[in-house]
Amino acid sequence: MLAPEEGITAPEAFHFTSLGLWGSALGYGIGAVAVDGLENPDFTWTFLGGQLLGTTLGAYTFRETSHTTSDLALMHWTGVEVTTATLGALVLWGDDNPSDYQKQMGPALATLTGLGLGVMPMWFLASDLEFSETDPALITLGTLGSGVLGGLAAHGTSDKDGASVGGFLLGQGIGYAASVVASQYTDLTKGQLSWITMGTSLGATAGAGIGVLAQSDNSQTQALSAFIGGLTLTAATALSADSFDLTWSDADLAFYSGITGTVLGGSIALMSSEDFQGPALIGASTGLLAGLIYDHLKPMSLRDSSLGASGTLA
């Protein structure tokens, strides 16, 4: 009965709902920071006040909205990314033995940060951003890859409980922001994205192998080595992406080279009484990378790749 006779469009409905949610988040954040104890009536009134403010603004402004559903979705997701990244930072650098009030305040501060540094900037920027067909993949891979590298870096440098989780949350937030910015200035193909993704994966694998060789029983050393290797090859493959637009035809020699590298690395480990894992990881990653580079620069047929691998293994 309250709906306008002319109906409500999807962006208008999303606009109204979004402001209601953001108002609720604002009320929760302010209340949880200002009031000690979520069972306190003052917190309840603050939360309801934010909710009322948001829904009232939504009701008065939804007709004038210029944002699309995609714009609003981007605002929400950016807010979530900033919130989780802030939580990650609190896990890494917060008090080891927080009080009940600090435990209550942490998520509230993260929520307010998400609204202030995530939702608000995107409110003004979202409609001006343009994304190509491959940009969603770039942002997704950049977010996940940075999260993994962040988790490795945190585990390798911190003794705190949950450091890996905190590093992952902080890293994925930083990766998301960097990927969104990069998407506005680059137009990568699927092959170039594959090249950079392979660089991150293979660099981390090789780094982990080096870490095993250095200290096979120290997980922090292995994690830090994997982070350094992943970060280094990510940078190298990103800078060389213009020359490596990979296709499926590049995969055959890479596959055989990876197997060959694993076998050779493992064989060296057995002959030198080293731990099998480290040399095998280094051999697999360097073999696969070398196969990708060679087959892309000097394409080989599946027959030639198979014969070459068979001859090497024989």
Side-chain angles (χ1 to χ4, degrees), residues 18-69:
S18 296
L19 285 178
L21 289 172
W22 294 332
S24 299
L26 179 65
Y28 158 73
I30 293 175
V33 170
V35 179
D36 187 0
L38 299 184
E39 71 283 353
N40 192 314
D42 290 339
F43 168 78
T44 303
W45 285 114
T46 305
F47 175 75
L48 291 176
Q51 191 175 60
L52 179 62
L53 174 64
T55 53
T56 302
L57 286 174
Y60 276 101
T61 61
F62 75 94
R63 283 298 186 195
E64 287 75 35
T65 183
S66 60
H67 293 119
T68 65
T69 54

Side-chain angles (χ1 to χ4, degrees), residues 78-236:
T78 303
V80 170
E81 288 290 341
V82 175
T83 299
T84 54
T86 305
L87 285 173
L90 291 173
V91 169
L92 287 174
W93 297 301
D95 196 331
D96 288 335
N97 296 298
S99 64
D100 290 340
Y101 173 65
Q102 288 174 321
K103 292 178 182 178
Q104 166 191 309
M105 188 172 61
L109 286 174
T111 300
L112 292 175
T113 305
L115 290 172
L117 299 182
V119 174
M120 284 299 294
M122 278 299 169
W123 179 270
F124 300 102
L125 296 174
S127 57
D128 295 324
L129 300 180
E130 296 181 358
F131 298 100
S132 68
E133 180 183 357
T134 58
D135 283 344
L138 166 63
I139 294 171
T140 301
L141 292 171
T143 301
L144 292 176
S146 297
V148 171
L149 291 178
L152 290 170
H155 180 69
T157 57
S158 176
D159 294 323
K160 290 190 67 172
D161 292 336
S164 296
V165 175
F168 178 85
L169 293 176
L170 179 59
Q172 61 86 36
I174 295 173
Y176 171 80
S179 299
V180 170
V181 173
S183 70
Q184 303 305 300
Y185 298 97
T186 60
D187 189 13
L188 298 175
T189 65
K190 294 178 181 178
Q192 291 169 329
L193 275 176
S194 300
W195 169 246
I196 298 173
T197 303
M198 291 296 293
T200 304
S201 303
L202 296 177
T205 303
I210 295 172
V212 171
L213 284 178
Q215 288 185 314
S216 60
D217 58 346
N218 190 323
S219 63
Q220 284 190 305
T221 299
Q222 296 168 23
L224 187 58
S225 296
F227 165 72
I228 294 172
L231 184 64
T232 301
L233 267 192
T234 297

Side-chain angles (χ1 to χ4, degrees), residues 207-303:
I210 295 172
V212 171
L213 284 178
Q215 288 185 314
S216 60
D217 58 346
N218 190 323
S219 63
Q220 284 190 305
T221 299
Q222 296 168 23
L224 187 58
S225 296
F227 165 72
I228 294 172
L231 184 64
T232 301
L233 267 192
T234 297
T237 50
L239 292 173
S240 60
D242 288 341
S243 302
F244 288 92
D245 187 1
L246 301 182
T247 63
W248 281 109
S249 62
D250 299 323
D252 51 352
L253 182 59
F255 175 73
Y256 292 130
S257 297
I259 294 177
T260 303
T262 305
V263 173
L264 292 177
S267 300
I268 293 173
L270 293 175
M271 288 187 292
S272 59
S273 300
E274 292 283 351
D275 187 346
F276 176 84
Q277 185 181 12
L281 289 174
I282 297 172
S285 55
T286 54
L288 202 155
L289 181 62
L292 273 179
I293 294 173
Y294 188 90
D295 202 5
H296 184 76
L297 297 178
K298 293 186 177 181
M300 297 179 65
S301 66
L302 178 59
R303 172 181 173 276

